[in-house]
Amino acid sequence: MEILRDIAGVRAFVAAARRRGARIGFVPTMGFLHDGHLSLMRAARRPAEARAPALAPVEAVVIASIFVNPTQFGPNEDFSRYPRDEPGDLEKCRAAGCDAVFLPPVEVMYPSGHRTTVHVDALTGPLCGASRPGHFDGVCTVVLKLFSIVGCDVALFGEKDYQQLAVIRKMATDLDLPVEVRGHPIVREADGLAMSSRNVYLDPTQRVSARSLSAALAATRAAFEAGERGARTLEAVARGVIEAAPGAEIDYIEIRDAVTLAAVTQPIDTDVVLALAVRFGRTRLIDNTVLAV
Ligand code: PAF
């Protein structure tokens, strides 16, 4: 596995792979990797190998990036204490079968004088966009830069960050990026908590309370499957479960259109996403489930 720290190195590595006819799968991360990230890396190998049997097999090359992107953190957020473990992450990337890992220093991604920001309108307004102003501008800017550096055919993102995935898809469509943006299902702990690098911040009591997120999604899904179509009623089901969890402070619980993230008028007659963000002390966790009509 190649360990690359500058843009020229990534481009040379990708150019050599392209000369062999390989397709490039890319998994951008902020490190402190867990099984959710590793499942993305394994899935990144699949598109090329899943081509029609009549076509000659195509080599898949998988590149991951590890970069804690300062521009997507607000001034009072956890950038400086975000968990980092470069040696452990590199071992995990190797075990997951990555061919290369790009670990750029901040000055490689944002040299002094950097002045360009990418903004996707509308989709970035509600949910995490409302409580984390500027967050998605930072995400889009770094992801577009990474796409441009890596020149990947397919990029994989976890569905836990549902809004992020929707925003990146929109950016790729609007800017005609030659990248297939692919979502991958949420990977959960045995008790249902969605895997996140931020779970490490939870103390034992908060960790127990954090089970309420997936429990709230399950209770709401059960009500939906039993025929409930009132968006506010379904949100109230989720709210009831979270409010019963000690120490949980709700940031938002909202049902929105699954594609546009527009507000949903009752009754639900199109696919929607139930998205939630909840704080436990200084730790903010998100989760979601799609309710398909
Ligand atoms: O989801 C993440 O880890 C980050 O937002 C991403 C996509 C790597 C951009 O920094």
Side-chain angles (χ1 to χ4, degrees):
M1 186 178 78
E2 294 279 333
I3 296 170
L4 307 164
R5 297 191 192 268
D6 60 29
I7 295 172
V10 177
R11 291 204 165 125
F13 178 85
V14 171
R18 291 237 180 261
R19 280 196 293 276
R20 301 193 302 273
R23 279 173 51 96
I24 313 297
F26 177 49
V27 180
T29 82
M30 297 206 300
F32 209 70
L33 303 175
H34 50 68
D35 280 351
H37 295 115
L38 306 185
S39 73
L40 297 176
M41 293 169 190
R42 289 189 284 264
R45 198 165 287 289
R46 289 205 276 274
E49 289 166 4
R51 283 156 57 106
L55 300 175
V58 174
E59 180 195 356
V61 162
V62 177
I63 304 177
S65 64
I66 296 175
F67 178 63
V68 185
N69 172 36
T71 66
Q72 69 189 75
F73 289 80
N76 299 317
E77 293 185 353
D78 56 344
F79 173 68
S80 55
R81 69 185 185 115
Y82 195 83
R84 291 161 168 88
D85 175 17
E86 188 180 306
D89 284 348
L90 289 173
E91 260 327 294
K92 289 175 186 167
C93 289
R94 205 170 270 123
C98 284
D99 298 292
V101 183
F102 179 40
L103 303 107
V106 173
E107 57 279 14
V108 165
M109 294 305 286
Y110 298 110
S112 82
H114 186 276
R115 289 284 175 272
T116 303
T117 297
V118 181
H119 177 72
V120 172
D121 204 10
L123 279 174
T124 55
L127 305 176
C128 291
S131 41
R132 303 186 70 189
H135 167 69
F136 289 114
D137 290 358
V139 169
C140 288
T141 303
V142 80
V143 169
L144 182 60
K145 283 173 70 73
L146 289 166
F147 283 0
S148 156
I149 292 165
V150 175
C152 48
D153 298 297
V154 58
L156 285 93
F157 296 85
E159 288 172 357
K160 181 174 72 69
D161 296 277
Y162 190 92
Q163 185 175 17
Q164 167 173 281
L165 177 58
V167 168
I168 291 170
R169 280 203 169 112
K170 187 79 182 110
M171 172 180 79
T173 303
D174 288 355
L175 299 182
D176 307 303
L177 303 181
V179 182
E180 179 195 346
V181 175
R182 182 170 292 204
H184 195 72
I186 299 174
V187 178
R188 296 181 180 279
E189 303 287 355
D191 66 358
L193 180 65
M195 288 194 184
S196 163
S197 304
R198 289 187 167 101
N199 291 350
V200 72
Y201 297 148
L202 299 169
D203 69 26
T205 312
Q206 293 169 333
R207 176 65 187 76
V208 172
S209 278
R211 291 181 194 156
S212 60
L213 274 72
S214 59
L217 299 180
T220 311
R221 169 170 293 287
F224 181 79
E225 283 169 2
E228 178 59 58
R229 288 294 179 271
R232 302 296 86 79
T233 306
L234 290 165
E235 288 165 356
V237 171
R239 187 169 289 276
V241 176
I242 305 273
E243 281 174 352
E249 266 178 66
I250 296 169
D251 179 350
Y252 63 75
I253 296 178
E254 288 188 41
I255 287 182
R256 293 203 158 241
D257 183 282
V259 177
T260 63
L261 302 184
V264 168
T265 53
Q266 304 184 52
I268 294 169
D269 60 357
T270 182
D271 292 355
V272 294
V273 60
L274 167 63
L276 45 83
V278 180
R279 285 200 167 78
F280 298 90
R282 290 164 70 199
T283 307
R284 182 176 174 281
L285 302 180
I286 56 173
D287 204 344
N288 69 81
T289 190
V290 171
L291 303 172
V293 289

